[in-house]
Amino acid sequence: MVWTFALALYFLQEDSTAAPAAANGSALLEMVRNSGPVALAVLIILLLASILSWTIMLSKWSSFTRAHTQSQRFLRAFRKSSRLSEIAAVADQFKPSPLVAVFGEIHDEYQRQNAGRGLPRNPVALERAAQTASSEALTAMESRMTWLATIAAIAPFIGLFGTVMGIIDAFHGLGTAGAATLRAVAPGISEALITTAAGLAVAIPAVIGYNQLTARLREFAARMDDFGRELLNAIENAAMMSPPPAQPTEEIRRRTF
């Protein structure tokens, strides 16, 4: 970003002869150097907010990509296998996928009810276990997203605050000097407007990143719900196709006589 580069140059404070192609950059650097303490504080706050928002966006995008890849692999392994025990044995290999958490909760509940055999005694409990696992996985994936939304919302107002304070200082200096000319007030106003541009430069990427990440979260939520229903159907179908358990001989004799 232009304002970040200018602020970094301000702290480095390296004087050099500006070439004609770098005239705009030199003018921006000069305005940043001549800014008051309020404007500099606003720029530093916006710089930190920008670093935080980009860190969140890049880390979330990377983790969501890994989760998507592992989910695809887990689904292929699940649909190829005919036994839940086989999937449970290799589920940890696909750990970044949120589908693994859904599978683990349903499988554990099924084991508690029927020891992994036959029709589940309480199918509603399996559905609740799937919903709980989906909610917990989605909550974990949404961590730090509120920071991104907050930065996107307040960055323009922080920049506007710096602009307002800069304009107040410019007009105060104009009234003190008594020189009512555009040449006297223009530099102060232009320096003050830098903070507004910096606020927009922070907010726009944060808004775009938040919307894109939220869309991917909705996709993960839909995938977890679909997988939960698919897993419940697989359990019921496998239980209906398996032969009924053999009855004890004593029980058969009682029914015969």
Side-chain angles (χ1 to χ4, degrees):
M1 302 174 190
V2 177
W3 70 272
T4 307
F5 179 69
L7 187 60
L9 289 179
Y10 171 79
F11 287 112
L12 291 175
Q13 237 177 1
E14 189 176 15
D15 276 341
S16 60
T17 57
N24 292 333
S26 299
L28 182 62
L29 175 61
E30 188 65 25
M31 286 187 290
V32 172
R33 285 181 175 178
N34 294 332
S35 298
V38 176
L40 287 177
V42 168
L43 290 176
I44 292 173
I45 293 172
L46 291 174
L47 175 61
L48 297 176
S50 178
I51 294 173
L52 178 60
S53 65
W54 277 103
T55 301
I56 293 173
M57 287 188 290
L58 293 176
S59 63
K60 286 295 180 183
W61 194 266
S62 177
S63 63
F64 287 1
T65 301
R66 289 196 304 271
H68 176 75
T69 303
Q70 294 296 332
S71 296
Q72 295 294 327
R73 294 179 56 197
F74 179 72
L75 278 177
R76 287 195 295 267
F78 171 75
R79 289 167 181 169
K80 287 180 181 179
S81 178
S82 59
R83 294 184 178 181
L84 295 181
S85 58
E86 297 177 356
I87 301 299
V90 299
D92 289 340
Q93 299 178 8
F94 312 97
K95 200 63 174 179
S97 171
L99 303 183
V100 175
V102 178
F103 174 83
E105 286 292 332
I106 295 179
H107 182 263
D108 292 344
E109 180 63 27
Y110 184 46
Q111 290 289 329
R112 285 191 292 268
Q113 289 187 17
N114 296 62
R117 296 178 182 178
L119 287 171
R121 294 195 301 267
N122 188 2
V124 177
L126 294 181
E127 296 178 0
R128 291 173 180 170
Q131 293 174 358
T132 301
S134 299
S135 177
E136 290 177 353
L138 197 62
T139 300
M141 298 179 74
E142 288 176 344
S143 63
R144 297 185 297 167
M145 289 287 292
T146 53
W147 281 104
L148 192 59
T150 302
I151 292 172
I154 68 173
F157 296 103
I158 295 176
L160 183 61
F161 171 77
T163 299
V164 171
M165 295 301 297
I167 292 177
I168 290 175
D169 291 339
F171 277 101
H172 177 73
L174 180 64
T176 303
T181 61
L182 182 62
R183 191 181 190 89
V185 74
I189 295 177
S190 63
E191 293 166 7
L193 291 175
I194 293 176
T195 57
T196 298
L200 294 176
V202 173
I204 292 174
V207 171
I208 295 174
Y210 179 79
N211 290 336
Q212 293 296 320
L213 293 174
T214 302
R216 298 201 69 179
L217 284 172
R218 287 196 296 266
E219 180 182 352
F220 278 115
R223 285 179 180 272
M224 286 187 284
D225 291 340
D226 294 341
F227 175 73
R229 287 188 288 267
E230 182 179 353
L231 179 56
L232 292 177
N233 290 335
I235 292 175
E236 293 178 358
N237 293 335
M240 293 175 64
M241 293 176 63
S242 62
Q247 295 181 348
T249 306
E250 187 66 26
E251 182 69 21
I252 295 175
R253 288 178 180 176
R254 289 177 184 175
R255 292 187 179 182
T256 303
F257 296 99

